[in-house]
């Protein structure tokens, strides 16, 4: 399934010579996006966004903040806990929704007051993409790179690739690299070589 505008959130982020960055929406993040559109419903006006690597957490946080929906704190586990607690207090005093971006899972918080506050916040986990979203992700990554993939690319690649945001991004990058290196279109021969490079050789998926 080729990605469409209706299934993506456009962001003003140019990436190289390709198209602007987009957040692909699908089964892994549809509920998250819906919640980000309605921060007034969050308990204590606070939400915690978590998800796998390269799943678009930072892009969603930027879209949330730049859209005037509230404030966002990216890479929150890397901040000092007292500083994060201060951000939470400031948001409560001003009545501003606060989106806190974590990692792949909840992190260990040692400051009791902060732990209790964030424990009461809305939890927004991004899951793993299903087939339709994986196809959209492949096409979106190719679009951002200015890489032309044929209409059969997703149908061929998705069943043979894993369901990982990071892996799908790496696979597209490898297809782009091989296509440029060989000075050849990104056809099935290049797709197979990219699959082997990213996921390993001698697998039935390469047939």
């Amino acid at each position: 399934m080729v990605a469409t505008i209706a299934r993506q959130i456009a962001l003003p982020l140019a990436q190289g010579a390709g198209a602007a960055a987009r957040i692909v929406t699908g089964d892994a993040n549809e509920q998250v996006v819906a919640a980000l559109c309605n921060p007034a419903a969050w308990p204590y006006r606070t939400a915690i966004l978590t998800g796998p690597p390269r799943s678009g957490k930072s892009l969603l946080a930027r879209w949330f903040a730049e859209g005037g929906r509230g404030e966002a704190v990216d890479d929150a586990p890397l901040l000092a806990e007292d500083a994060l607690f201060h951000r939470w207090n400031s948001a409560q005093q001003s009545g501003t929704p606060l989106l806190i971006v974590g990692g792949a899972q909840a992190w260990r918080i040692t400051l009791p007051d902060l732990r209790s506050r964030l424990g009461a916040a809305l939890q927004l986990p991004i899951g793993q993409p299903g087939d339709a979203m994986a196809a959209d992700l492949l096409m979106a990554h190719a679009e951002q790179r200015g890489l032309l993939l044929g209409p059969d690319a997703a149908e061929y690649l998705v069943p043979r690739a894993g369901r990982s945001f990071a892996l799908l991004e790496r696979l597209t990058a490898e297809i782009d690299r091989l296509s440029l290196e060989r000075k050849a279109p990104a056809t099935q021969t290049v797709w197979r070589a990219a699959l082997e490079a990213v996921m390993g050789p001698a697998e039935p998926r390469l047939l």
Side-chain angles (χ1 to χ4, degrees):
M1 178 185 296
V2 177
T4 63
I5 297 300
R7 292 182 61 81
Q8 299 182 3
I9 300 171
L11 292 172
L13 301 173
Q15 294 198 351
R22 297 185 182 276
I23 300 170
V24 175
T25 60
D27 54 352
N29 63 6
E30 283 177 338
Q31 292 184 348
V32 169
V33 171
L36 293 179
C37 290
N38 187 28
W42 299 356
Y44 302 101
R45 295 179 290 275
T46 307
I48 314 296
L49 177 62
T50 57
R54 309 303 298 167
S55 57
K57 298 185 296 294
S58 295
L59 290 179
L60 281 168
R62 180 169 175 177
W63 169 75
F64 176 81
E66 293 188 352
R69 296 167 178 84
E71 297 180 359
V73 179
D74 201 3
D75 291 326
L78 301 180
L79 298 181
E81 291 186 357
D82 55 351
L84 185 56
F85 189 43
H86 176 71
R87 290 289 299 272
W88 184 89
N89 280 328
S90 296
Q92 294 298 305
Q93 292 169 7
S94 65
T96 303
L98 180 64
L99 177 64
I100 298 174
V101 182
Q105 57 189 6
W107 71 98
R108 179 178 174 81
I109 300 171
T110 59
L111 190 64
D113 287 341
L114 179 62
R115 184 169 61 245
S116 64
R117 302 310 193 274
L118 299 191
L122 178 64
Q123 304 299 312
L124 298 177
I126 298 174
Q128 295 287 358
D131 286 358
M133 187 175 182
D136 287 347
L137 284 163
L138 281 170
M139 301 307 289
H141 287 316
E143 177 188 351
Q144 289 165 23
R145 288 178 166 273
L147 171 66
L148 181 62
L149 288 180
D152 299 330
E155 182 179 355
Y156 180 86
L157 292 167
V158 168
R160 295 167 171 82
R163 296 301 174 270
S164 159
F165 288 95
L167 186 147
L168 291 166
E169 187 174 2
R170 283 171 47 213
L171 179 59
T172 311
E174 185 65 14
I175 292 171
D176 191 24
R177 186 189 71 79
L178 288 172
S179 179
L180 292 171
E181 181 181 89
R182 298 180 181 188
K183 298 180 181 179
T187 56
Q188 189 172 124
T189 300
V190 173
W191 304 341
R192 290 183 59 175
L195 281 166
E196 183 172 350
V198 171
M199 303 186 68
E203 292 288 344
R205 63 174 171 271
L206 299 182
L207 300 177

